[in-house]
Amino acid sequence: MASRTAPAPSVLPGKVSPLRQVPAHIPRPPYVGKPAPDRFEGSEIKDAETIEKMRIAGRIAAQALVEVASHIRPGITTDELDRIGHEFLCDHDAYPSTLGYRHFPKSLCTSVNEVICHGIPDSRELVDGDIVNVDITAYIHGVHGDTDATYPVGEIDSESALLLERTQEALNRGIKAVRPGRPINVIGRVIESYAKRFGYGVVRDFTGHGIGTAFHSGLVIPHYDTEHYATLMEPGMTFTIEPMLTLGTESYDMWDDDWTVVTQDRKRSAQFEHTLLVTDSGAEILTLP
């Protein structure tokens, strides 16, 4: 049998700069300095005080994303975007949640073109026609706020522009599906139903997640249609929805850094994310600037 030859990738690893320092007065998440976070044993239902703290964390993360996005242009490195996000969070007394999470070396993720998620910022310069996802999380007052979006770099082709537009719409539809009493997997059913209209791949192995005092609580929010993950939504739950759609296959390869996930066919991928609170009547988006 002939072996499969992967298409030439448009993104290759660059040089990763040294760890950025966080001012000593900013509290660290408990997983910093450990191989992995402790298993979350708390409730997925948050009390009013925790929810208010999450509104603060979510707003700071959203503002940081806006600041980073304002600098996206051909010629800038993803490492420079990381510096901008890092300094914004620290200036607002927030810790960059990804920094030191399971040894992740940077303060945000930058996923370019065929990178599905978890791209490590490095020395690669963005070029005209790229797309880049920026995923940033703020930790402050003991809770996390997590958000991301995918942006054009200069002028992009129409196929990529539609992918961005439709992935954003997939997130919007997923958010509208949030209601108390519904199973969580209805979110994935709505997202995949929409994405399949355009022949997009829907990534299955990387999902939304519960969030609060834990970066990832163990609650899984699928973006695809499945009978699993049927936990009923309840007021006070907080979690992320973050669909990842591709122009081809949802199958992926992992770089040797054990973080960077790329589409197996090297076709482009986009992602958008918000942190949400389940309310009595629907969802409140916590990651708005």
PDB file of all heavy atoms in Angstrom, residues 37-53:
ATOM      1  N   PRO A  37      -2.710  20.378  36.773  1.00  0.00           N
ATOM      2  CA  PRO A  37      -3.577  20.867  37.854  1.00  0.00           C
ATOM      3  C   PRO A  37      -4.170  19.722  38.651  1.00  0.00           C
ATOM      4  O   PRO A  37      -4.287  18.595  38.162  1.00  0.00           O
ATOM      5  CB  PRO A  37      -4.671  21.635  37.105  1.00  0.00           C
ATOM      6  CG  PRO A  37      -4.693  21.024  35.743  1.00  0.00           C
ATOM      7  CD  PRO A  37      -3.290  20.614  35.443  1.00  0.00           C
ATOM      8  N   ASP A  38      -4.542  20.002  39.891  1.00  0.00           N
ATOM      9  CA  ASP A  38      -5.251  19.016  40.689  1.00  0.00           C
ATOM     10  C   ASP A  38      -6.632  18.777  40.088  1.00  0.00           C
ATOM     11  O   ASP A  38      -7.213  19.661  39.440  1.00  0.00           O
ATOM     12  CB  ASP A  38      -5.404  19.502  42.133  1.00  0.00           C
ATOM     13  CG  ASP A  38      -4.067  19.628  42.852  1.00  0.00           C
ATOM     14  OD1 ASP A  38      -3.110  18.917  42.463  1.00  0.00           O
ATOM     15  OD2 ASP A  38      -3.973  20.452  43.789  1.00  0.00           O
ATOM     16  N   ARG A  39      -7.166  17.594  40.292  1.00  0.00           N
ATOM     17  CA  ARG A  39      -8.504  17.259  39.801  1.00  0.00           C
ATOM     18  C   ARG A  39      -9.540  18.161  40.470  1.00  0.00           C
ATOM     19  O   ARG A  39      -9.528  18.353  41.689  1.00  0.00           O
ATOM     20  CB  ARG A  39      -8.815  15.792  40.095  1.00  0.00           C
ATOM     21  CG  ARG A  39     -10.174  15.328  39.594  1.00  0.00           C
ATOM     22  CD  ARG A  39     -10.394  13.864  39.957  1.00  0.00           C
ATOM     23  NE  ARG A  39     -11.694  13.401  39.531  1.00  0.00           N
ATOM     24  CZ  ARG A  39     -11.955  12.894  38.334  1.00  0.00           C
ATOM     25  NH1 ARG A  39     -10.977  12.766  37.456  1.00  0.00           N
ATOM     26  NH2 ARG A  39     -13.170  12.494  38.015  1.00  0.00           N
ATOM     27  N   PHE A  40     -10.434  18.721  39.666  1.00  0.00           N
ATOM     28  CA  PHE A  40     -11.474  19.590  40.207  1.00  0.00           C
ATOM     29  C   PHE A  40     -12.557  18.751  40.877  1.00  0.00           C
ATOM     30  O   PHE A  40     -13.102  17.828  40.286  1.00  0.00           O
ATOM     31  CB  PHE A  40     -12.084  20.433  39.084  1.00  0.00           C
ATOM     32  CG  PHE A  40     -13.201  21.335  39.536  1.00  0.00           C
ATOM     33  CD1 PHE A  40     -12.934  22.436  40.333  1.00  0.00           C
ATOM     34  CD2 PHE A  40     -14.516  21.080  39.168  1.00  0.00           C
ATOM     35  CE1 PHE A  40     -13.956  23.278  40.760  1.00  0.00           C
ATOM     36  CE2 PHE A  40     -15.547  21.918  39.583  1.00  0.00           C
ATOM     37  CZ  PHE A  40     -15.264  23.017  40.383  1.00  0.00           C
ATOM     38  N   GLU A  41     -12.879  19.092  42.113  1.00  0.00           N
ATOM     39  CA  GLU A  41     -13.866  18.326  42.875  1.00  0.00           C
ATOM     40  C   GLU A  41     -15.081  19.175  43.263  1.00  0.00           C
ATOM     41  O   GLU A  41     -15.968  18.701  43.965  1.00  0.00           O
ATOM     42  CB  GLU A  41     -13.222  17.773  44.160  1.00  0.00           C
ATOM     43  CG  GLU A  41     -12.017  16.865  43.927  1.00  0.00           C
ATOM     44  CD  GLU A  41     -12.381  15.509  43.346  1.00  0.00           C
ATOM     45  OE1 GLU A  41     -13.591  15.222  43.220  1.00  0.00           O
ATOM     46  OE2 GLU A  41     -11.456  14.755  43.011  1.00  0.00           O
ATOM     47  N   GLY A  42     -15.127  20.422  42.822  1.00  0.00           N
ATOM     48  CA  GLY A  42     -16.199  21.315  43.234  1.00  0.00           C
ATOM     49  C   GLY A  42     -17.449  21.179  42.385  1.00  0.00           C
ATOM     50  O   GLY A  42     -17.569  20.298  41.528  1.00  0.00           O
ATOM     51  N   SER A  43     -18.391  22.092  42.610  1.00  0.00           N
ATOM     52  CA  SER A  43     -19.655  22.096  41.873  1.00  0.00           C
ATOM     53  C   SER A  43     -19.514  22.901  40.580  1.00  0.00           C
ATOM     54  O   SER A  43     -18.777  23.886  40.533  1.00  0.00           O
ATOM     55  CB  SER A  43     -20.755  22.715  42.745  1.00  0.00           C
ATOM     56  OG  SER A  43     -21.944  22.898  41.987  1.00  0.00           O
ATOM     57  N   GLU A  44     -20.248  22.466  39.558  1.00  0.00           N
ATOM     58  CA  GLU A  44     -20.290  23.245  38.313  1.00  0.00           C
ATOM     59  C   GLU A  44     -21.225  24.454  38.453  1.00  0.00           C
ATOM     60  O   GLU A  44     -21.211  25.347  37.609  1.00  0.00           O
ATOM     61  CB  GLU A  44     -20.773  22.360  37.158  1.00  0.00           C
ATOM     62  CG  GLU A  44     -19.873  21.176  36.833  1.00  0.00           C
ATOM     63  CD  GLU A  44     -18.528  21.546  36.246  1.00  0.00           C
ATOM     64  OE1 GLU A  44     -18.341  22.725  35.888  1.00  0.00           O
ATOM     65  OE2 GLU A  44     -17.655  20.656  36.162  1.00  0.00           O
ATOM     66  N   ILE A  45     -22.021  24.485  39.509  1.00  0.00           N
ATOM     67  CA  ILE A  45     -22.937  25.593  39.763  1.00  0.00           C
ATOM     68  C   ILE A  45     -22.223  26.629  40.633  1.00  0.00           C
ATOM     69  O   ILE A  45     -21.783  26.321  41.738  1.00  0.00           O
ATOM     70  CB  ILE A  45     -24.222  25.120  40.478  1.00  0.00           C
ATOM     71  CG1 ILE A  45     -24.810  23.898  39.775  1.00  0.00           C
ATOM     72  CG2 ILE A  45     -25.223  26.265  40.568  1.00  0.00           C
ATOM     73  CD1 ILE A  45     -25.193  24.122  38.348  1.00  0.00           C
ATOM     74  N   LYS A  46     -22.093  27.841  40.136  1.00  0.00           N
ATOM     75  CA  LYS A  46     -21.340  28.877  40.835  1.00  0.00           C
ATOM     76  C   LYS A  46     -22.261  29.742  41.681  1.00  0.00           C
ATOM     77  O   LYS A  46     -23.411  30.017  41.300  1.00  0.00           O
ATOM     78  CB  LYS A  46     -20.594  29.762  39.828  1.00  0.00           C
ATOM     79  CG  LYS A  46     -19.795  28.996  38.771  1.00  0.00           C
ATOM     80  CD  LYS A  46     -18.789  28.032  39.383  1.00  0.00           C
ATOM     81  CE  LYS A  46     -17.853  27.458  38.330  1.00  0.00           C
ATOM     82  NZ  LYS A  46     -18.499  26.639  37.306  1.00  0.00           N
ATOM     83  N   ASP A  47     -21.735  30.200  42.826  1.00  0.00           N
ATOM     84  CA  ASP A  47     -22.503  31.127  43.650  1.00  0.00           C
ATOM     85  C   ASP A  47     -22.358  32.552  43.102  1.00  0.00           C
ATOM     86  O   ASP A  47     -21.559  32.819  42.191  1.00  0.00           O
ATOM     87  CB  ASP A  47     -22.073  31.058  45.116  1.00  0.00           C
ATOM     88  CG  ASP A  47     -20.603  31.385  45.353  1.00  0.00           C
ATOM     89  OD1 ASP A  47     -20.024  32.173  44.574  1.00  0.00           O
ATOM     90  OD2 ASP A  47     -20.028  30.859  46.326  1.00  0.00           O
ATOM     91  N   ALA A  48     -23.139  33.463  43.649  1.00  0.00           N
ATOM     92  CA  ALA A  48     -23.197  34.834  43.118  1.00  0.00           C
ATOM     93  C   ALA A  48     -21.841  35.530  43.194  1.00  0.00           C
ATOM     94  O   ALA A  48     -21.460  36.270  42.274  1.00  0.00           O
ATOM     95  CB  ALA A  48     -24.253  35.634  43.872  1.00  0.00           C
ATOM     96  N   GLU A  49     -21.097  35.289  44.262  1.00  0.00           N
ATOM     97  CA  GLU A  49     -19.785  35.940  44.409  1.00  0.00           C
ATOM     98  C   GLU A  49     -18.811  35.454  43.341  1.00  0.00           C
ATOM     99  O   GLU A  49     -18.093  36.259  42.731  1.00  0.00           O
ATOM    100  CB  GLU A  49     -19.223  35.653  45.804  1.00  0.00           C
ATOM    101  CG  GLU A  49     -17.874  36.314  46.057  1.00  0.00           C
ATOM    102  CD  GLU A  49     -17.324  36.012  47.436  1.00  0.00           C
ATOM    103  OE1 GLU A  49     -17.987  35.283  48.211  1.00  0.00           O
ATOM    104  OE2 GLU A  49     -16.219  36.492  47.741  1.00  0.00           O
ATOM    105  N   THR A  50     -18.794  34.155  43.093  1.00  0.00           N
ATOM    106  CA  THR A  50     -17.907  33.606  42.075  1.00  0.00           C
ATOM    107  C   THR A  50     -18.292  34.107  40.693  1.00  0.00           C
ATOM    108  O   THR A  50     -17.428  34.441  39.868  1.00  0.00           O
ATOM    109  CB  THR A  50     -17.942  32.068  42.110  1.00  0.00           C
ATOM    110  OG1 THR A  50     -17.547  31.621  43.413  1.00  0.00           O
ATOM    111  CG2 THR A  50     -17.016  31.468  41.067  1.00  0.00           C
ATOM    112  N   ILE A  51     -19.575  34.186  40.419  1.00  0.00           N
ATOM    113  CA  ILE A  51     -20.048  34.676  39.121  1.00  0.00           C
ATOM    114  C   ILE A  51     -19.599  36.123  38.898  1.00  0.00           C
ATOM    115  O   ILE A  51     -19.156  36.489  37.808  1.00  0.00           O
ATOM    116  CB  ILE A  51     -21.585  34.545  39.023  1.00  0.00           C
ATOM    117  CG1 ILE A  51     -21.972  33.061  38.901  1.00  0.00           C
ATOM    118  CG2 ILE A  51     -22.131  35.336  37.844  1.00  0.00           C
ATOM    119  CD1 ILE A  51     -23.451  32.791  39.085  1.00  0.00           C
ATOM    120  N   GLU A  52     -19.689  36.948  39.922  1.00  0.00           N
ATOM    121  CA  GLU A  52     -19.270  38.332  39.776  1.00  0.00           C
ATOM    122  C   GLU A  52     -17.776  38.415  39.502  1.00  0.00           C
ATOM    123  O   GLU A  52     -17.318  39.227  38.677  1.00  0.00           O
ATOM    124  CB  GLU A  52     -19.626  39.143  41.027  1.00  0.00           C
ATOM    125  CG  GLU A  52     -19.407  40.634  40.871  1.00  0.00           C
ATOM    126  CD  GLU A  52     -20.102  41.222  39.646  1.00  0.00           C
ATOM    127  OE1 GLU A  52     -21.252  40.837  39.360  1.00  0.00           O
ATOM    128  OE2 GLU A  52     -19.473  42.070  38.956  1.00  0.00           O
ATOM    129  N   LYS A  53     -16.995  37.583  40.155  1.00  0.00           N
ATOM    130  CA  LYS A  53     -15.554  37.544  39.892  1.00  0.00           C
ATOM    131  C   LYS A  53     -15.286  37.086  38.456  1.00  0.00           C
ATOM    132  O   LYS A  53     -14.375  37.601  37.794  1.00  0.00           O
ATOM    133  CB  LYS A  53     -14.866  36.611  40.882  1.00  0.00           C
ATOM    134  CG  LYS A  53     -14.824  37.136  42.303  1.00  0.00           C
ATOM    135  CD  LYS A  53     -14.208  36.110  43.246  1.00  0.00           C
ATOM    136  CE  LYS A  53     -14.133  36.633  44.673  1.00  0.00           C
ATOM    137  NZ  LYS A  53     -13.593  35.606  45.608  1.00  0.00           N
TER     138      LYS A  53
END
